[in-house]
Amino acid sequence: MKRLLKIFFALLTAAGIASAADCPACTVAKLCEPHATADKEAAKAFREGVGNPDPAVRSSAIDLFADACAAHANCRPAANAMLLAAALKDSAAGVRAKAAEKLGAQDPRTVGPILDREVDALLKKLEKDPKGAREEEAWLGNFEFMKGICAALSAMGNADAGPATARILGSTRLKVLDLGAETAPKVKAKEIPPAFIAAIDRVRFSKVSAERDATWVRLLKGWEAMTKSGTKPPDPVDPGDAVRFVNDCKAWWKANEKTWK
């Protein structure tokens, strides 16, 4: 761990790295020579760190590599995203979640398909009801991983994040759907409004509970935060008014689909 820190801070000094900044010498297509060298050395440190048996060291290696990448935010090589993505297979849920979150600042064209694949596999695991302490621990670990993915999707915020976010909105597990309701308003993609409407429509048929009601409210707030549509909220004392609300949302989307950004 100490060696990793020494390497990283040496790179900061050598390349004049500042946190989360554009580099005037880098272009979208090519790193400047100091940052190309810094990335190469940071990648070596990353590979060393993620091979460490201590999850805390592996997590720190992800942070350090992501910090090095942040020094040239205007140039995000696909190779850096692919390198970080290797940590998505880590045995520790917290490390997987950290890697997923940091991917949000990488090349979105590369990251989108990677997260899309991870979401499909995760949703299958999270749909199952855990039985016993071991399965419950695994479920919670997968949920933590999903939170990291949602943080990345929120940070991306563009069409590349759309497919994965829409799939999360399709979850039947309310805790997972809550993550989708929080993430979706930050993602501008054509898949999102229809998936949001479908989630609202699905939840209104769910078994009534405090958890269900909380998710329902999150979805209603999320819809308005995302669309700024001014759709009249459903009357809380008239269950039938939810039908009117869903239909109003559908009508708004039909009228605004071509111009919504």
Side-chain angles (χ1 to χ4, degrees):
M1 181 63 174
K2 289 181 179 179
R3 183 170 180 270
L4 279 172
L5 288 170
K6 287 180 180 179
I7 291 172
F8 179 63
F9 285 117
L11 291 171
L12 289 178
T13 302
I17 292 175
S19 178
D22 290 347
C23 170
C26 291
T27 67
V28 172
K30 187 177 181 180
L31 291 170
C32 67
E33 186 174 341
H35 281 137
T37 300
D39 273 20
K40 184 177 179 180
E41 294 302 319
K44 287 174 60 178
F46 173 81
R47 292 188 183 97
E48 178 184 332
V50 295
N52 193 288
D54 186 347
V57 174
R58 302 199 299 273
S59 183
S60 292
I62 292 168
D63 279 330
L64 294 177
F65 184 66
D67 285 347
C69 294
H72 48 79
N74 54 321
C75 182
R76 296 182 281 181
N80 287 355
M82 296 301 294
L83 186 59
L84 266 177
L88 296 177
K89 303 303 180 185
D90 197 275
S91 59
V95 177
R96 296 196 300 273
K98 173 67 68 67
E101 181 177 352
K102 295 300 183 181
L103 275 170
Q106 299 301 319
D107 172 41
R109 294 166 299 179
T110 304
V111 172
I114 291 172
L115 296 185
D116 204 34
R117 291 190 294 271
E118 294 294 337
V119 162
D120 279 345
L122 265 184
L123 285 174
K124 290 178 182 179
K125 296 174 182 177
L126 291 171
E127 291 297 311
K128 298 178 181 178
D129 290 319
K131 298 177 181 179
R134 182 174 296 181
E135 288 190 10
E136 178 69 18
E137 183 180 2
W139 195 95
L140 291 173
N142 287 325
F143 185 71
E144 183 178 2
F145 186 18
M146 183 65 89
K147 287 199 288 186
I149 288 175
C150 286
L153 295 170
S154 294
M156 290 165 66
N158 64 0
D160 296 295
T165 306
R167 283 180 173 82
I168 295 168
L169 284 170
S171 177
T172 62
R173 293 300 296 264
L174 294 177
K175 283 189 70 174
V176 178
L177 187 52
D178 286 345
L179 292 179
E182 181 180 351
T183 303
K186 302 167 187 173
V187 177
K188 292 295 183 181
K190 293 292 187 180
E191 299 95 335
I192 302 304
F196 221 101
I197 294 170
I200 292 170
D201 206 18
R202 187 172 66 253
V203 168
R204 74 185 179 90
F205 287 112
S206 300
K207 183 179 179 181
V208 176
S209 67
E211 185 181 12
R212 177 264 190 193
D213 290 347
T215 300
W216 173 255
V217 171
R218 286 189 185 96
L219 287 168
L220 298 186
K221 290 182 177 179
W223 170 260
E224 188 56 32
M226 177 178 63
T227 63
K228 306 293 192 297
S229 64
T231 308
K232 181 183 175 182
D235 187 335
V237 298
D238 180 7
D241 196 41
V243 177
R244 187 273 312 160
F245 177 77
V246 170
N247 287 335
D248 284 354
C249 291
K250 290 178 179 178
W252 182 90
W253 178 239
K254 184 177 181 180
N256 292 274
E257 179 179 1
K258 293 182 179 179
T259 57
W260 184 76
K261 295 181 180 180

